[in-house]
Amino acid sequence: MKLFNKVAIIGTGLIGGSIGLAIKRKRLAKEIVGFSRRKKNLLLAVKRGAINRGSGKLDIVRDADLVILATPVNSIINLAPRIANIIRKDCIVTDVGSTKSKIVSCLVKIFPNYVGSHPLAGSQKSSIVNANPDIFKDSICILTPVRNTNSNTLNKMNLFWRQLGASTILLTPSTHDKILSFVSHLPHVVAFSLMGVIPCKYLKFASAGLKDTTRIAASDSQAWADILLSNQKNILKTIGLLQSSLARMKLTVTRQDRDALIKILKQAKLRRNILK
Amino acid sequence: MKLFNKVAIIGTGLIGGSIGLAIKRKRLAKEIVGFSRRKKNLLLAVKRGAINRGSGKLDIVRDADLVILATPVNSIINLAPRIANIIRKDCIVTDVGSTKSKIVSCLVKIFPNYVGSHPLAGSQKSSIVNANPDIFKDSICILTPVRNTNSNTLNKMNLFWRQLGASTILLTPSTHDKILSFVSHLPHVVAFSLMGVIPCKYLKFASAGLKDTTRIAASDSQAWADILLSNQKNILKTIGLLQSSLARMKLTVTRQDRDALIKILKQAKLRRNILK
């Protein structure tokens, strides 16, 4: 089903590249073009079939009817005004940034047909090398329309993500940022912090538990700095909650209060079992 | 290679059961017997071939030439004096407890031929149902001899674990507990705490990152309460280090100090890449 004539993917990394591959597989567009500052990246994206052609100049977005911003948060905000100067008024624009309040409040003023997206897919791996059209299958994609979001734009993007295999959920940007600060940003903070405190000389004793717990600490540093900084209020709150939780744990250990400690561990186990 | 005539496994759960299966596969003993308070557990252990016969009475350890204590930490300490009354003087004894200082200081006084072991194998899963002789393959088993450990006991247990596929490392009980508080106990504390702060209603938004980070939060609550309480000093210290690390992260986010934050995330990524 052709949804678009020309899709422009800004940032042909893991997510951008995977979207390109999925669009091609589902034949959702006549043409897919890509923008990246890194020539090697574009060559690989073309070679892998994620885009038909690429450029290091934004002019490649001209005449697109869908633009997908798939760069780190700060870059999305920086590139948006320049893209607005090139595209047609009726071009639909979305982004796949991991935080939404800052991006949406900015982009909604720039693009008349914009809606924010956040596909909950991806991993600690980055780059086009790891792109995979299947990462959206059975995933959740959050769409973050606001009061003046064009209903045609919302409907078309909703359909687009469903065609890629995702279930879609509509949330306000601020609810999105609150939820993600718990289920994604805090786990990343924890993984980064944990790796920071374990002395290197002890790493050879790591078993599967430590490896799993810290897998996402290998995520891209610059992208994650942007995510954490752009969701400041929520991040500070969730880190605070974790600090309190650690303090409670410490108290039970200090007091050798086995019953209280077991209660905490049992609650954690029960909740974890929901995630299965 | 027969190393023992009769091996008695006290606690036929995940680790005890896996040891039984591995002994049988490697033909390291003529007979393997098991002790468990739960009859169902023993029946399953026999059915799975982890033990030849089992009993809910400790008398089953009589005439064993190797006793392996594979129950939670507190239980190991409680059962030891009763076992000492039954076994022969020349019987070798080991345990597989996850903390060593408390256990070793206690058991070394009770058994003349004792050395502590800690196979760094296992997972969040417990019970004989998940027992698997392969979990020791390519794993590390830490042995914790002390000044008066009989060299024959140490050599034989060293050989035993190597026959099960593990590499062995000798550490003092206190060094063991210090290292494990970083590479195993702290990640568990973090996983438990993280699950404790995420509201249940948000769990449906969990992606692979959260799932991996908290996998070990599903570990057995009572066993882990014992582990944390028996390694009090080290646990309190490592939780303290993590709290400081989280505080530093908060500070960079509060100050919007992107460079400092990226530095922290990059260091975490570099260390995590060592773990591969």
Side-chain angles (χ1 to χ4, degrees), chain A residues 28 37 62 64 69 85 94-95 101 136 140 162 189 192 207 209 271:
Chain A
L28 301 180
R37 289 220 172 79
R62 195 175 301 280
L69 291 142
N85 284 335
T94 192
D95 74 288
S101 296
F136 308 107
I140 289 173
R162 287 180 180 273
V189 164
F192 296 133
S207 56
R271 286 200 195 174

Side-chain angles (χ1 to χ4, degrees), chain A residues 198 212 215 218 269 271, chain B residues 198 212 215 218 243 269 271:
Chain A
I198 300 176
D212 282 0
R215 180 181 59 80
K269 184 181 171 71
R271 286 200 195 174
Chain B
I198 300 175
D212 283 358
R215 181 180 60 80
Q243 285 176 314
K269 183 180 170 70
R271 286 199 195 174

Side-chain angles (χ1 to χ4, degrees), chain A residues 74 102 120-122 124 126 140 142 169 171 175 178-180 182-184 186-226 228-233 235-258 261-262 264-276, chain B residues 74 102 120-122 124 126 140 142 169 171 175 178-180 182-184 186-226 228-233 235-258 261-262 264-276:
Chain A
N74 284 6
K102 199 176 162 190
L120 304 185
Q124 82 282 14
S126 48
I140 289 173
I142 299 171
I169 296 181
L171 295 175
T175 303
K178 190 179 168 186
I179 293 175
L180 268 287
F182 279 104
V183 300
S184 170
L186 184 61
H188 277 80
V189 164
V190 158
F192 296 133
S193 287
L194 195 51
M195 281 320 301
V197 303
I198 300 176
C200 288
K201 62 181 174 181
Y202 294 165
L203 291 179
K204 65 174 171 183
F205 294 100
S207 56
L210 177 63
K211 286 180 188 170
D212 282 0
T213 311
T214 60
R215 180 181 59 80
I216 52 179
S219 299
D220 185 74
S221 311
Q222 302 209 1
W224 272 92
D226 282 1
L228 301 179
L229 293 176
S230 65
N231 198 13
Q232 189 190 44
K233 196 190 72 184
I235 294 291
L236 293 178
K237 200 178 152 189
T238 54
I239 297 179
L241 289 171
L242 186 74
Q243 285 176 313
S244 305
S245 168
L246 289 170
R248 276 194 299 280
M249 200 88 109
K250 256 173 116 173
L251 197 65
T252 61
V253 174
T254 304
R255 290 181 177 163
Q256 291 281 318
D257 188 343
R258 192 168 185 268
L261 183 55
I262 287 178
I264 293 173
L265 306 195
K266 273 196 174 157
Q267 195 212 15
K269 184 181 171 71
L270 274 173
R271 286 200 195 174
R272 182 57 185 81
N273 287 341
I274 297 173
L275 280 188
K276 276 282 165 214
Chain B
N74 283 6
K102 198 176 162 189
L120 304 185
Q124 81 281 14
S126 47
I140 290 173
I142 299 170
I169 295 181
L171 295 175
T175 303
K178 190 179 168 188
I179 294 175
L180 268 287
F182 279 104
V183 300
S184 169
L186 184 61
H188 277 81
V189 164
V190 158
F192 296 134
S193 286
L194 194 50
M195 281 319 301
V197 304
I198 300 175
C200 289
K201 61 182 174 180
Y202 295 164
L203 292 179
K204 65 174 172 181
F205 294 99
S207 57
L210 177 63
K211 285 179 189 170
D212 283 358
T213 312
T214 59
R215 181 180 60 80
I216 52 179
S219 300
D220 185 75
S221 311
Q222 302 208 0
W224 271 92
D226 281 2
L228 300 180
L229 294 176
S230 65
N231 198 14
Q232 189 189 44
K233 196 191 72 185
I235 294 291
L236 293 178
K237 201 178 151 191
T238 53
I239 297 179
L241 289 172
L242 186 74
Q243 285 176 314
S244 304
S245 167
L246 289 169
R248 274 195 299 281
M249 200 88 109
K250 256 173 116 173
L251 198 65
T252 62
V253 174
T254 304
R255 290 181 177 163
Q256 291 281 316
D257 188 344
R258 191 166 185 267
L261 183 54
I262 286 178
I264 293 173
L265 306 195
K266 272 196 175 158
Q267 194 212 15
K269 183 180 170 70
L270 274 173
R271 286 199 195 174
R272 181 57 185 80
N273 286 342
I274 298 173
L275 282 187
K276 278 281 165 206

